């Protein structure tokens, strides 16, 4: 039973355009959400997070939006760069706990 | 400086063998984890230790035994390796038992033949 889902296994975007990666969750107890970026042969690297008390968090080119009623979050990358090409994992947790539940990942390819 | 380091990075071994993967973090965190990324690329937690004490133990065969000699180390021992154990194992750490940001090591690629 996947509690965190990333329905798009891959996404291709032109350099300079916006990349939008989506994530859905089913567990209403989740109240903290994270995005991780993973290059081949490396471990996941923390990118950005958002608490359920917010609906938006921005860090440079990266913005995460949270829609609690829809149990949906998205990561926007603007402008996209070739170096952003990686697998992006959405993760969720109950903030009082320490167990992250991951989505299956979305492979982003940014074309020059 | 590598914050979370794990060794070996690649390991090929035969079925039935016993192997260990070591993990160390220099972030001063008190909680450490082992995650497994299976063939379908899903990352799933296996164990979590806080201050050397086990706090999460997901449904993992008892052939897998984590050992935490101190807060900075969490090693994973696997006995009687099976083909299905082939996966990438990631060590991770966070500050506090409910640390919201978890930092991962580079992964250990285990192949059982």
């Amino acid at each position: 039973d996947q509690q965190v889902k990333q329905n798009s296994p891959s996404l291709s975007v032109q350099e300079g355009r916006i990349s939008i990666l989506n994530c859905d969750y089913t567990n209403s107890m989740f109240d903290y959400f994270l995005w991780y970026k993973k290059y081949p042969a490396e471990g996941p690297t923390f990118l950005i997070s958002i608490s359920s008390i917010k609906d938006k968090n921005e860090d440079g080119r990266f913005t995460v939006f949270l829609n609690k009623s829809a149990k949906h979050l998205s990561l926007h990358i603007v402008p996209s760069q070739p170096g952003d090409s990686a697998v992006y994992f959405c993760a969720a947790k109950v903030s009082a706990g320490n167990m992250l539940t991951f989505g299956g990942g979305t492979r982003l390819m940014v074309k020059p | 400086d590598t914050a979370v380091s794990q060794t070996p990075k690649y390991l090929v071994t035969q079925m039935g063998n016993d192997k260990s993967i070591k993990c160390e973090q220099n972030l001063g965190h008190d909680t450490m984890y082992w995650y497994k990324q299976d063939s379908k690329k899903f990352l799933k937690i296996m164990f979590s230790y806080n201050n050397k004490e086990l706090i999460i133990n997901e449904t993992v065969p008892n052939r897998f035994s984590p050992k935490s000699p101190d807060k900075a180390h969490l090693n994973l021992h696997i006995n009687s390796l099976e083909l299905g154990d082939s996966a990438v194992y990631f060590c991770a750490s966070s500050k506090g038992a409910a640390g919201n940001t978890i930092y991962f090591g580079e992964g250990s690629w285990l192949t059982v033949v």
Side-chain angles (χ1 to χ4, degrees):
Chain A
D1 178 30
Q2 275 183 261
Q3 297 185 62
V4 180
K5 296 181 183 179
Q6 295 176 251
N7 292 319
S8 298
S10 65
L11 174 67
S12 183
V13 171
Q14 204 67 34
E15 181 179 7
R17 305 295 290 269
I18 184 171
S19 295
I20 300 176
L21 296 100
N22 293 304
C23 178
D24 297 294
Y25 62 97
T26 58
N27 188 341
S28 57
M29 298 295 291
F30 289 146
D31 58 2
Y32 197 81
F33 306 88
L34 306 91
W35 284 94
Y36 281 82
K37 176 180 178 179
K38 185 181 181 303
Y39 292 117
E42 294 184 12
T45 303
F46 170 73
L47 195 57
I48 192 168
S49 63
I50 188 166
S51 165
S52 61
I53 62 174
K54 295 185 176 181
D55 54 20
K56 177 183 174 181
N57 188 25
E58 191 173 350
D59 183 2
R61 297 185 296 113
F62 302 90
T63 304
V64 55
F65 295 91
L66 175 63
N67 183 335
K68 290 185 289 293
S69 59
K71 293 191 178 68
H72 177 83
L73 63 155
S74 61
L75 174 68
H76 292 210
I77 307 174
V78 179
S80 301
Q81 300 173 353
D84 296 329
S85 297
V87 176
Y88 289 79
F89 288 96
C90 168
K93 70 189 293 282
V94 176
S95 56
N98 68 354
M99 193 173 95
L100 276 180
T101 301
F102 282 86
T106 296
R107 181 177 300 278
L108 174 66
M109 292 162 284
V110 180
K111 298 179 179 178
Chain B
D1 286 344
T2 304
V4 181
S5 59
Q6 49 186 113
T7 56
K9 183 158 186 173
Y10 300 101
L11 179 59
V12 180
T13 188
Q14 290 187 328
M15 283 176 55
N17 284 350
D18 303 336
K19 290 294 178 186
S20 295
I21 307 173
K22 296 184 177 181
C23 179
E24 175 182 4
Q25 54 92 6
N26 62 7
L27 295 167
H29 291 164
D30 53 7
T31 304
M32 296 186 71
Y33 313 79
W34 278 106
Y35 277 80
K36 178 181 179 181
Q37 186 177 32
D38 60 23
S39 57
K40 295 182 179 179
K41 306 302 181 187
F42 286 104
L43 272 163
K44 294 183 179 177
I45 192 166
M46 300 173 67
F47 301 101
S48 173
Y49 270 72
N50 174 253
N51 284 320
K52 302 194 299 176
E53 289 190 17
L54 180 67
I55 53 174
I56 289 178
N57 183 354
E58 288 298 289
T59 307
V60 177
N62 57 15
R63 297 182 294 102
F64 290 78
S65 55
K67 286 185 172 53
S68 181
D70 55 57
K71 289 194 303 183
H73 296 83
L74 180 62
N75 303 322
L76 183 64
H77 301 277
I78 315 171
N79 296 324
S80 302
L81 279 157
E82 300 177 357
L83 292 176
D85 297 332
S86 296
V88 186
Y89 294 86
F90 288 98
C91 178
S93 72
S94 68
K95 185 176 180 181
N100 281 336
T101 303
I102 296 177
Y103 296 87
F104 286 84
E106 292 192 337
S108 293
W109 271 251
L110 172 65
T111 302
V112 182
V113 296

